[in-house]
Amino acid sequence: MVNKRTAKVLERFRVSSGKGFRLKDIAPDDTAGIDLEKDHAAELLQQGVDRLAELQDMLYAQDRWSVLCIFQAMDAAGKDGAIKHVFSGVNPQGCQVHSFKAPTATELDHDFLWRHSTALPERGRIGIHNRSWYEEVLAVRVHPAYLEGQKLPPRLVGRKIWEERLEDIAAYERYLARQGTVVLKFFLNVSQEEQKRRFLSRIDEPAKNWKFSANDVAERAHWDAYMAAYQDAIRATAAPHAPWYVVPADTKWLTRLVVAAALIDALEGLDLHYPKVTKAQKAALEVARKALV
């Protein structure tokens, strides 16, 4: 269960209304006053993983709701690690993970939401999108050349295109909520200094070399532009039915605990339970029992 202290921490990082939101108000190294030893943090996370497994089992059995978890972040913020650890106890049959890279030629021949729509979770399942439709107002906004490759009619590419796309995203998330999809959005907010430290670790440690890309360093030159784009995106799309969690990402154990707690909190609010057996089904069970005996 999410206790009062955990609820207070979640409230600190939850953004359910974008009005007045400022990204600088949530520091990447904020730990909400929590000071945990590594072993204790791991123990708490395991408790969360176990609770999440219980809730996911009922979600799957009830087959009414679906959950979409969106992860956005700068490189090396810990998206992969958070997904790996938080969802380590979830039944793979009830979970769908999609990692979105640069769009293919086929995807570019559709609207920008198309490839994400085809990857939405079914009822009873948890969908995890590692990057999402928000890249269309983040990376594409920072790199205008990407927009040119989307083959939009010129008359539709105006000064308000980013505002229009954010309106479309907000409307789509509202639509999903009305169809029974719980939308949770996580921005893992890492600092430039911590990102640099993690990049150097990937270079210095042979086992991590595969994680490093020279393009990651090139993107650091656009840091301020990305932060401005993230702030605009959160302001325009944060809503009670599709909240953002701006999670401090300089401390990995805190990142993972907040993500786990936010997901548990959302699932516990759905009144999940196993389907009740009807009289006819009970009668059929007794017939089966007699046949087996």
PDB file of all heavy atoms in Angstrom, residues 103-116:
ATOM      1  N   PRO A 103      11.802   7.181 -36.744  1.00  0.00           N
ATOM      2  CA  PRO A 103      10.735   6.550 -37.518  1.00  0.00           C
ATOM      3  C   PRO A 103      11.221   5.983 -38.843  1.00  0.00           C
ATOM      4  O   PRO A 103      12.137   6.526 -39.477  1.00  0.00           O
ATOM      5  CB  PRO A 103       9.738   7.693 -37.740  1.00  0.00           C
ATOM      6  CG  PRO A 103      10.534   8.940 -37.576  1.00  0.00           C
ATOM      7  CD  PRO A 103      11.563   8.621 -36.548  1.00  0.00           C
ATOM      8  N   THR A 104      10.604   4.890 -39.255  1.00  0.00           N
ATOM      9  CA  THR A 104      10.932   4.252 -40.536  1.00  0.00           C
ATOM     10  C   THR A 104      10.220   4.989 -41.669  1.00  0.00           C
ATOM     11  O   THR A 104       9.361   5.857 -41.429  1.00  0.00           O
ATOM     12  CB  THR A 104      10.484   2.789 -40.536  1.00  0.00           C
ATOM     13  OG1 THR A 104       9.046   2.744 -40.446  1.00  0.00           O
ATOM     14  CG2 THR A 104      11.090   2.030 -39.355  1.00  0.00           C
ATOM     15  N   ALA A 105      10.542   4.601 -42.892  1.00  0.00           N
ATOM     16  CA  ALA A 105       9.888   5.211 -44.052  1.00  0.00           C
ATOM     17  C   ALA A 105       8.384   4.976 -44.008  1.00  0.00           C
ATOM     18  O   ALA A 105       7.588   5.869 -44.327  1.00  0.00           O
ATOM     19  CB  ALA A 105      10.485   4.643 -45.332  1.00  0.00           C
ATOM     20  N   THR A 106       7.971   3.774 -43.613  1.00  0.00           N
ATOM     21  CA  THR A 106       6.544   3.470 -43.514  1.00  0.00           C
ATOM     22  C   THR A 106       5.879   4.335 -42.462  1.00  0.00           C
ATOM     23  O   THR A 106       4.775   4.863 -42.669  1.00  0.00           O
ATOM     24  CB  THR A 106       6.327   1.982 -43.165  1.00  0.00           C
ATOM     25  OG1 THR A 106       6.882   1.170 -44.204  1.00  0.00           O
ATOM     26  CG2 THR A 106       4.847   1.668 -43.002  1.00  0.00           C
ATOM     27  N   GLU A 107       6.531   4.501 -41.329  1.00  0.00           N
ATOM     28  CA  GLU A 107       5.972   5.319 -40.250  1.00  0.00           C
ATOM     29  C   GLU A 107       5.876   6.783 -40.653  1.00  0.00           C
ATOM     30  O   GLU A 107       4.935   7.489 -40.257  1.00  0.00           O
ATOM     31  CB  GLU A 107       6.819   5.143 -38.994  1.00  0.00           C
ATOM     32  CG  GLU A 107       6.675   3.753 -38.381  1.00  0.00           C
ATOM     33  CD  GLU A 107       7.719   3.444 -37.325  1.00  0.00           C
ATOM     34  OE1 GLU A 107       8.742   4.162 -37.246  1.00  0.00           O
ATOM     35  OE2 GLU A 107       7.525   2.466 -36.575  1.00  0.00           O
ATOM     36  N   LEU A 108       6.820   7.251 -41.447  1.00  0.00           N
ATOM     37  CA  LEU A 108       6.789   8.644 -41.901  1.00  0.00           C
ATOM     38  C   LEU A 108       5.672   8.901 -42.904  1.00  0.00           C
ATOM     39  O   LEU A 108       5.321  10.054 -43.170  1.00  0.00           O
ATOM     40  CB  LEU A 108       8.141   9.029 -42.515  1.00  0.00           C
ATOM     41  CG  LEU A 108       9.295   9.196 -41.524  1.00  0.00           C
ATOM     42  CD1 LEU A 108      10.604   9.387 -42.269  1.00  0.00           C
ATOM     43  CD2 LEU A 108       9.040  10.372 -40.584  1.00  0.00           C
ATOM     44  N   ASP A 109       5.103   7.830 -43.457  1.00  0.00           N
ATOM     45  CA  ASP A 109       3.971   7.974 -44.378  1.00  0.00           C
ATOM     46  C   ASP A 109       2.637   8.027 -43.640  1.00  0.00           C
ATOM     47  O   ASP A 109       1.576   8.012 -44.276  1.00  0.00           O
ATOM     48  CB  ASP A 109       3.961   6.825 -45.392  1.00  0.00           C
ATOM     49  CG  ASP A 109       4.827   7.120 -46.605  1.00  0.00           C
ATOM     50  OD1 ASP A 109       5.027   8.313 -46.915  1.00  0.00           O
ATOM     51  OD2 ASP A 109       5.312   6.169 -47.236  1.00  0.00           O
ATOM     52  N   HIS A 110       2.687   8.053 -42.297  1.00  0.00           N
ATOM     53  CA  HIS A 110       1.482   8.171 -41.482  1.00  0.00           C
ATOM     54  C   HIS A 110       1.603   9.403 -40.579  1.00  0.00           C
ATOM     55  O   HIS A 110       2.650  10.038 -40.496  1.00  0.00           O
ATOM     56  CB  HIS A 110       1.294   6.923 -40.612  1.00  0.00           C
ATOM     57  CG  HIS A 110       0.938   5.693 -41.380  1.00  0.00           C
ATOM     58  ND1 HIS A 110       1.874   4.926 -42.033  1.00  0.00           N
ATOM     59  CD2 HIS A 110      -0.261   5.090 -41.610  1.00  0.00           C
ATOM     60  CE1 HIS A 110       1.284   3.892 -42.618  1.00  0.00           C
ATOM     61  NE2 HIS A 110      -0.012   3.973 -42.375  1.00  0.00           N
ATOM     62  N   ASP A 111       0.513   9.704 -39.883  1.00  0.00           N
ATOM     63  CA  ASP A 111       0.546  10.788 -38.907  1.00  0.00           C
ATOM     64  C   ASP A 111       1.486  10.419 -37.760  1.00  0.00           C
ATOM     65  O   ASP A 111       1.802   9.241 -37.546  1.00  0.00           O
ATOM     66  CB  ASP A 111      -0.869  11.058 -38.375  1.00  0.00           C
ATOM     67  CG  ASP A 111      -1.427   9.866 -37.621  1.00  0.00           C
ATOM     68  OD1 ASP A 111      -2.013   8.965 -38.266  1.00  0.00           O
ATOM     69  OD2 ASP A 111      -1.244   9.811 -36.390  1.00  0.00           O
ATOM     70  N   PHE A 112       1.931  11.412 -37.001  1.00  0.00           N
ATOM     71  CA  PHE A 112       2.977  11.153 -36.001  1.00  0.00           C
ATOM     72  C   PHE A 112       2.521  10.282 -34.844  1.00  0.00           C
ATOM     73  O   PHE A 112       3.344   9.701 -34.139  1.00  0.00           O
ATOM     74  CB  PHE A 112       3.577  12.473 -35.494  1.00  0.00           C
ATOM     75  CG  PHE A 112       2.734  13.239 -34.504  1.00  0.00           C
ATOM     76  CD1 PHE A 112       2.823  12.979 -33.146  1.00  0.00           C
ATOM     77  CD2 PHE A 112       1.886  14.260 -34.918  1.00  0.00           C
ATOM     78  CE1 PHE A 112       2.083  13.702 -32.214  1.00  0.00           C
ATOM     79  CE2 PHE A 112       1.143  14.995 -34.009  1.00  0.00           C
ATOM     80  CZ  PHE A 112       1.235  14.715 -32.649  1.00  0.00           C
ATOM     81  N   LEU A 113       1.214  10.143 -34.638  1.00  0.00           N
ATOM     82  CA  LEU A 113       0.723   9.298 -33.550  1.00  0.00           C
ATOM     83  C   LEU A 113       0.534   7.842 -33.972  1.00  0.00           C
ATOM     84  O   LEU A 113       0.380   6.962 -33.123  1.00  0.00           O
ATOM     85  CB  LEU A 113      -0.614   9.835 -33.027  1.00  0.00           C
ATOM     86  CG  LEU A 113      -0.567  11.102 -32.178  1.00  0.00           C
ATOM     87  CD1 LEU A 113      -1.973  11.633 -31.937  1.00  0.00           C
ATOM     88  CD2 LEU A 113       0.135  10.837 -30.852  1.00  0.00           C
ATOM     89  N   TRP A 114       0.561   7.583 -35.272  1.00  0.00           N
ATOM     90  CA  TRP A 114       0.194   6.265 -35.786  1.00  0.00           C
ATOM     91  C   TRP A 114       1.027   5.133 -35.195  1.00  0.00           C
ATOM     92  O   TRP A 114       0.491   4.134 -34.706  1.00  0.00           O
ATOM     93  CB  TRP A 114       0.322   6.258 -37.319  1.00  0.00           C
ATOM     94  CG  TRP A 114      -0.003   4.929 -37.936  1.00  0.00           C
ATOM     95  CD1 TRP A 114      -1.241   4.412 -38.163  1.00  0.00           C
ATOM     96  CD2 TRP A 114       0.925   3.944 -38.399  1.00  0.00           C
ATOM     97  NE1 TRP A 114      -1.152   3.160 -38.756  1.00  0.00           N
ATOM     98  CE2 TRP A 114       0.183   2.850 -38.911  1.00  0.00           C
ATOM     99  CE3 TRP A 114       2.320   3.879 -38.453  1.00  0.00           C
ATOM    100  CZ2 TRP A 114       0.780   1.723 -39.445  1.00  0.00           C
ATOM    101  CZ3 TRP A 114       2.918   2.757 -38.989  1.00  0.00           C
ATOM    102  CH2 TRP A 114       2.160   1.691 -39.477  1.00  0.00           C
ATOM    103  N   ARG A 115       2.340   5.257 -35.252  1.00  0.00           N
ATOM    104  CA  ARG A 115       3.173   4.135 -34.805  1.00  0.00           C
ATOM    105  C   ARG A 115       3.032   3.884 -33.303  1.00  0.00           C
ATOM    106  O   ARG A 115       3.232   2.779 -32.827  1.00  0.00           O
ATOM    107  CB  ARG A 115       4.638   4.367 -35.169  1.00  0.00           C
ATOM    108  CG  ARG A 115       5.324   5.550 -34.475  1.00  0.00           C
ATOM    109  CD  ARG A 115       6.798   5.528 -34.813  1.00  0.00           C
ATOM    110  NE  ARG A 115       7.553   6.616 -34.186  1.00  0.00           N
ATOM    111  CZ  ARG A 115       8.859   6.568 -33.961  1.00  0.00           C
ATOM    112  NH1 ARG A 115       9.548   5.480 -34.291  1.00  0.00           N
ATOM    113  NH2 ARG A 115       9.485   7.579 -33.414  1.00  0.00           N
ATOM    114  N   HIS A 116       2.688   4.915 -32.565  1.00  0.00           N
ATOM    115  CA  HIS A 116       2.491   4.751 -31.119  1.00  0.00           C
ATOM    116  C   HIS A 116       1.124   4.129 -30.832  1.00  0.00           C
ATOM    117  O   HIS A 116       0.983   3.311 -29.919  1.00  0.00           O
ATOM    118  CB  HIS A 116       2.626   6.109 -30.432  1.00  0.00           C
ATOM    119  CG  HIS A 116       3.924   6.795 -30.714  1.00  0.00           C
ATOM    120  ND1 HIS A 116       5.116   6.385 -30.149  1.00  0.00           N
ATOM    121  CD2 HIS A 116       4.226   7.831 -31.521  1.00  0.00           C
ATOM    122  CE1 HIS A 116       6.095   7.160 -30.603  1.00  0.00           C
ATOM    123  NE2 HIS A 116       5.586   8.043 -31.428  1.00  0.00           N
TER     124      HIS A 116
END
